[in-house]
Amino acid sequence: MPHSLLARCLAILCAAVLCAAPAHALRIKEVAAVEGVRSNALTGFGLVVGLDGTGDQTTQMPYTSQGMANYLQQLGISLPAGSAMQLKNVAAVLVTAQLPAFARPGQAIDVSVSSVGNAKSLKGGTLIATPLKGADGEVYALAQGNLVIAGAGAAAGGSKVQVNHLSAGRIPGGAQVERIVETPLQQGEAVTLGLQSSDFQTARRVAQAINTRFGDGVAQALDGRTVRVTAPTTPNERVSFLAELEELPIDATKPSAKVVINSRTGSIALNQAVTLGPVAIAHGNLSISISSTPTVSQPNPMSGGQTTVTEKTNIQIRSEPGMLIELPPSAQLSDVVRAINSLGATPQDLLAILQAIKAAGALQAELEVI
């Protein structure tokens, strides 16, 4: 081969190598999180006022009247004994929010408001001051504000038109944090990383990446979901250490083969690790139809009998023939999809077919029904 042609080929080969797609890599922050650094659920019972006659029917929802009476009593207004309030512009609601990690007093968080009575709509309402409590019963935030309802509705003359839900809404920045939740981030000589999914290979690669960057023995994989990392003890150094740790890249692992089936909607999802062995399938639909025809039984003249109406029921069972189809072994997801599509079955039929293939040992994947 001439020298110039050889040099040209080598140049093309080097360019192809340099342009090749890099291996798929993830950052540690995308597969793991520091244990203890999480949000906390808050909830509270409140009242929405200012509705245009679409509130709770207080005769059927006594806790709405009771809640309003308690609120008025806190304002120094006492109702006469035995008085029954007929409130049309008030609705009882449950208020929920997520208190983020490291939230400080004065920080605003979003809240969700949902009706618990028979209010027709919360549109245009205002949530009055509602304390939000945690699992320990302590108040961590105070919610109040105007609701944002992403819906509309109208009714007249027995007809009704509605778009989206009118009994639930949100208040952006509608709650103010009143108390902090201590996190164990600065406690102890080590922090614990919790993986999002249990996988020994991922845990090993996370520990290796940390040890490669910060030195041997810094990280230890305790099990398939937990990695213990020795970290600096001063707050500033620990935060800087974790910030750099979360950006370390690791190679993505191939997940375990799994087929997820939604039995309610007929949805089927397969990941890239699913493989198919050689198998033969015959599938035929079975349909049953039942029809009834009314018949009149007329008595003979002067017999004293009565005319009666009876029903004649006809039941038919039809089984469509199923041709035996051989599916070749498939080692890639595209081949598995092509083989399954060749059956020409509906998604609902595929639920039973995949279960049968799994039972026959030809589907190398875990079936998960949600």
Side-chain angles (χ1 to χ4, degrees):
M1 181 180 296
H3 179 72
S4 59
L5 180 59
L6 179 60
R8 190 179 306 169
C9 292
L10 290 176
I12 296 176
L13 180 60
C14 292
V17 172
L18 293 176
C19 295
H24 182 52
L26 300 173
R27 294 176 299 177
I28 290 181
K29 67 183 346 179
E30 296 167 353
V31 298
V34 180
E35 288 189 357
V37 180
R38 62 178 181 86
S39 61
N40 292 272
L42 303 179
T43 184
F45 178 84
L47 297 173
V48 172
V49 299
L51 302 176
D52 189 13
T54 59
D56 292 337
Q57 297 180 7
T58 53
T59 56
Q60 301 176 0
M61 301 297 158
Y63 47 78
T64 304
S65 301
Q66 182 181 357
M68 178 56 67
N70 294 341
Y71 181 76
L72 293 177
Q73 188 175 5
Q74 294 176 5
L75 299 179
I77 302 175
S78 299
L79 298 177
S83 61
M85 294 185 294
Q86 298 296 327
L87 306 174
K88 296 183 179 180
N89 300 333
V90 182
V93 295
L94 283 181
V95 185
T96 58
Q98 288 290 332
L99 182 66
F102 313 119
R104 296 294 175 179
Q107 179 179 343
I109 58 176
D110 298 344
V111 298
S112 298
V113 181
S114 304
S115 172
V116 294
N118 54 9
K120 297 179 181 178
S121 174
L122 299 180
K123 197 173 185 66
T126 300
L127 176 71
I128 58 178
T130 302
L132 302 181
K133 300 181 179 180
D136 56 357
E138 299 292 337
V139 176
Y140 287 90
L142 190 66
Q144 181 172 288
N146 298 325
L147 273 71
V148 177
I149 306 295
S159 300
K160 180 180 179 181
V161 176
Q162 179 174 321
V163 179
N164 296 334
H165 291 284
L166 300 177
S167 57
R170 289 181 63 85
I171 306 178
Q176 192 174 46
V177 178
E178 301 292 339
R179 178 181 299 183
I180 65 175
V181 177
E182 298 294 340
T183 60
L185 179 64
Q186 302 295 344
Q187 300 175 4
E189 298 180 353
V191 295
T192 302
L193 300 180
L195 302 185
Q196 296 179 1
S197 59
S198 181
D199 185 72
F200 290 102
Q201 182 68 269
T202 303
R204 184 174 70 94
R205 292 186 178 181
V206 169
Q208 288 179 345
I210 297 174
N211 291 331
T212 301
R213 172 60 184 84
F214 298 103
D216 294 338
V218 175
Q220 295 179 352
L222 303 182
D223 51 41
R225 190 181 285 269
T226 308
V227 179
R228 186 178 184 273
V229 183
T230 303
T233 56
T234 59
N236 184 57
E237 292 180 356
R238 176 163 292 192
V239 171
S240 301
F241 173 80
L242 292 176
E244 186 176 355
L245 180 149
E246 288 184 334
E247 295 296 329
L248 295 178
I250 62 171
D251 293 334
T253 60
K254 187 177 181 180
S256 59
K258 180 177 290 187
V259 178
V260 180
I261 298 174
N262 191 327
S263 58
R264 296 182 298 273
T265 63
S267 304
I268 301 174
L270 300 82
N271 64 10
Q272 60 181 359
V274 176
T275 59
L276 186 65
V279 64
I281 301 174
H283 181 76
N285 290 326
L286 179 67
S287 60
I288 301 176
S289 61
I290 302 176
S291 60
S292 59
T293 304
T295 59
V296 179
S297 177
Q298 184 70 30
N300 295 325
M302 307 302 292
S303 63
Q306 297 181 354
T307 302
T308 59
V309 179
T310 60
E311 291 187 358
K312 181 180 180 181
T313 304
N314 182 25
I315 302 177
Q316 294 182 352
I317 300 178
R318 182 177 57 186
S319 179
E320 298 181 0
M323 183 176 59
L324 195 63
I325 301 177
E326 180 182 0
L327 299 184
S330 305
Q332 296 182 355
L333 178 61
S334 58
D335 298 332
V336 175
V337 173
R338 190 179 302 109
I340 294 177
N341 286 336
S342 66
L343 298 176
T346 63
Q348 292 294 339
D349 292 335
L350 286 177
L351 301 181
I353 292 175
L354 289 175
Q355 292 176 0
I357 297 176
K358 174 64 176 178
L363 182 64
Q364 285 77 38
E366 175 189 356
L367 285 181
E368 180 179 348
V369 181
I370 62 175

